[in-house]
Every structure is written in C-alpha cells, then in structure tokens.
Amino acid sequence: MHAVQFADHGDRGVIEYAERPDPSPGRGEVLVDVKAGALNHLDVWTRRGLPGIDLDLPHVPGSDAAGVVESVGDGVTRFEPGDRVAVSAGVSCGECEFCRHGEESQCVDYHIIGEHVPGVHAEYAAVPEDNLVAVPEGVDWATAAAAPLVFQTAWRMLMTRADLAAGESVLVLGASGGVGHAAVQIADFAGAEVFATASTEEKLDYAREVGADHAINYAETDFASEVFELTDGRGVDVVVDHVGGETWDDSLKSLAKGGRLVTCGATAGSRPETNVNRVFWNQLSILGSTMATPGEVDDVLAKVWDGTFEVRVRDRLPMGETARAHELLEDREGFGKVVVVPDSEFDA
C-alpha cells in the first residue's frame, strides 16, 4: 500500500507518499480501507518534531480518517467487514483513576493516534476497535474524516470544561480553523452570543454563516478593544483560545469579571506572558482541555451526522500532495478543514 510518511523531522520537504507493508489487524483491531483523511495543526507540529516525543521513523501521520472496514482482528465485537467508520484518535489506558471515573481524556497514559503512535493517512490503517465510531449512510467521506478531532475538542472545551450556558457570551479566536469553526457552531447551538476573530473579510463572512453574531478582523483591529466596545465595557464570559503566543494577554483582557479562558493548544507559541494581577483581581479561570471522552464524542458527532453542525472543507487533495496540504495549514489559507484522499481513490 501507499502511505504519507516522513523519515526525518523538518520542513514540508520531508513528506513523501511511499510504499509501506500492508498492515494486518491485531487483537482488538480493525483494518480500515481509508477513503479520506483530514489534517490538523497537530500534523504540522509532529512533522516538525514535538519536544519530548520520540517517534519510530519513518512515521505515518494523521489523526483523522474515515473508510470501510476491510477485516477485523480477534476479539472485535462492534464492527464487521463493510461497516462505515471514522477514527476518534484519543487512546486511553482504561485502568487509571481518570479512566475509571469516565474522564478518559485525562488518562495518565493518554496518547493520540498520529502524534505518539503511527497515524492513519494511508490506503489502509489498523485501528483499535475502541477508536472507531460508526458513520451513517449518507454522510460523505470528507465530512466523516474531518469532523471527529476538532468537533470533539471544541465540544469538550465549551460544554464540559467551560460549562457554557445559554445567554452567555463567547469569543472564539481563529474562527477559520478546524477547532475554531467547530467552536463557533457549538457556542451558537448552546444559545450563546458569539464573537469570532479571523484575518480576512472572506473568513469573517464564513464565520457569520456558521453562527457568529460579531466578526472581528484581528489583522486590522485590536480584538480585545473591539470586544469591550461591542459589550459596553463588560467583556465576554468565555474565550476559546487555541492560539496562545501574543494573543494570550488580549484573550485575558477580553474576559468579563469571573470569566473563563479555555485552551486546547498554542499554535502561535506555548510560553506567553500572563498578567497574574488581572487573573486574580478579575477572578478569572484558565481551563485546559484535551480531546474528549467517548460519551462526548458520541454526543457531538451525532449532531454532525444529522446536519446540526457543518464541517467546512476548504480543500480536498490527493495524499500524494500532502505537502501542499501542510502548506495550506501553515499559511492559514481558507476556512475550515483540509482533506486528503488516497491517490487510488481520488476522484474515483
């Protein structure tokens, strides 16, 4: 089979689409005939080399994919050949105190398919049964591949960690990205007043289409000042910040007294300065969030499958052009997700 892989960490030039041995499903695993995969910024960071994570090289990236069950290993009970499935990438141990209490995403041995272990951007992938969800007939492969990671992440951030309530206000940074465009829709669904930032008017128009009440061009204005003007000096109840870096201080500035900042990543830098005086004086909460529990995954994907939430796909490319897909993410081109399809399936 062919798979996306890189033998060294580095720039986009290390990516290749090359032959690899066909995988076989082990005990508890399912062999998936992959019809589509989707990229996340995690794929970029993994390619560059995440500190503290040692990969077996060459490494196959990819945390999101969907396809048809080809065969199953011993002990598999939930799926059989011909079933339509999508990957949910979070892997937990199932035994620690967090797993026992239904908080699998806080597992002490938590890892992510495509980040810590081989991923699924290949013609075939052997995936643990517990990391697959059923995909209904009528859901297209691009949607099925692109939804799981970003929608489960945004759902847990807002509905569980931030405990968002109807009538509250939410600021979503980077609304044109995967997590961002999911968070806008989830906040709108929850009955919140939604503020969204993006860098172009085209992206802001898309943000409005999927649920933003207020759209702020952060390339042209200070978003914290704009939020305070739009809220008559109050600020918002919740900020969704997966950007970090230089946005961090403005995210804290944008919060109302008692507000909550929830973060799942730091695409612009992981060591921003924090004004501690602002945190304690305004009684702010800073909440970390990673992926989701199986129950949360089921809850949010049910709303993707039935059309409540829409997965916006900005580009669909053959896996042989995955370097171009990485470029789209790094240059922040377009609105929504980038999908890659095995070359043998592209336009099939």
Side-chain angles (χ1 to χ4, degrees):
M1 71 162 189
H2 279 76
V4 179
Q5 63 179 29
F6 51 84
D8 294 292
H9 295 294
D11 61 19
R12 295 188 295 269
V14 302
I15 300 170
E16 58 181 351
Y17 189 58
E19 288 190 11
R20 287 178 68 93
D22 291 348
S24 299
R27 182 170 183 82
E29 291 186 331
V30 172
L31 183 64
V32 179
D33 178 358
V34 174
K35 301 301 183 184
L39 271 74
N40 300 282
H41 277 282
L42 178 60
D43 298 305
V44 173
W45 302 327
T46 303
R47 185 202 80 218
R48 292 175 180 173
L50 282 167
I53 296 180
D54 294 322
L55 298 176
D56 290 330
L57 298 175
H59 176 74
V60 176
S63 303
D64 272 329
V68 177
V69 173
E70 179 78 7
S71 62
V72 300
D74 292 342
V76 171
T77 60
R78 294 174 50 230
F79 299 102
E80 59 186 28
D83 286 348
R84 293 162 51 89
V85 295
V87 176
S88 179
V91 181
S92 56
C93 73
E95 299 176 356
C96 70
E97 60 177 302
F98 299 102
C99 290
R100 291 197 303 270
H101 291 91
E103 287 294 339
E104 291 90 345
S105 67
Q106 296 183 43
C107 173
V108 297
D109 191 31
Y110 196 77
H111 57 279
I112 298 174
I113 292 170
E115 178 182 7
H116 307 90
V117 296
V120 290
H121 287 175
E123 290 183 304
Y124 292 92
V127 182
E129 176 184 28
D130 291 343
N131 287 97
L132 293 174
V133 295
V135 176
E137 292 287 344
V139 176
D140 66 88
W141 291 124
T143 294
L149 191 146
V150 295
F151 274 88
Q152 68 175 279
T153 298
W155 182 267
R156 180 173 176 82
M157 290 176 78
L158 285 166
M159 305 305 288
T160 302
R161 298 293 287 140
D163 194 21
L164 182 64
E168 291 192 303
S169 51
V170 176
L171 169 64
V172 178
L173 301 192
S176 65
V179 170
H181 93 294
V184 167
Q185 295 181 67
I186 291 166
D188 179 55
F189 171 81
E193 182 179 9
V194 184
F195 300 74
T197 73
S199 60
T200 69
E201 289 306 312
E202 181 183 18
K203 292 178 181 179
L204 294 173
D205 285 341
Y206 279 126
R208 294 183 187 97
E209 286 181 16
V210 298
D213 300 293
H214 311 279
I216 301 168
N217 188 327
Y218 69 78
E220 296 181 353
T221 187
D222 177 82
F223 72 79
S225 298
E226 188 74 8
V227 165
F228 264 79
E229 182 174 335
L230 291 169
T231 60
D232 295 324
R234 177 185 182 275
V236 295
D237 298 297
V238 175
V239 172
V240 174
D241 186 337
H242 53 95
V243 181
E246 62 187 22
T247 70
W248 186 257
D249 191 51
D250 280 343
S251 291
L252 293 172
K253 285 181 183 178
S254 300
L255 287 168
K257 288 270 191 174
R260 294 98 75 197
L261 187 156
V262 60
T263 178
C264 69
T267 58
S270 60
R271 295 180 180 273
E273 292 187 4
T274 298
N275 185 334
V276 177
N277 292 338
R278 177 175 289 113
V279 174
F280 71 71
W281 186 253
N282 289 337
Q283 302 189 50
L284 306 179
S285 297
I286 298 175
L287 306 167
S289 188
T290 298
M291 303 291 279
T293 67
E296 291 164 341
V297 172
D298 291 341
D299 287 344
V300 70
L301 289 184
K303 298 185 187 324
V304 174
W305 305 152
D306 72 11
T308 300
F309 299 141
E310 176 188 359
V311 182
R312 285 290 178 100
V313 174
R314 67 175 88 167
D315 276 287
R316 180 178 175 272
L317 301 169
M319 283 187 181
E321 296 180 18
T322 294
R324 169 58 179 156
H326 278 233
E327 183 181 12
L328 291 170
L329 265 65
E330 290 177 296
D331 293 347
R332 300 179 182 179
E333 297 181 33
F335 185 97
K337 295 281 286 181
V338 178
V339 169
V340 291
V341 177
D343 290 21
S344 58
E345 295 281 345
F346 194 74
D347 291 332

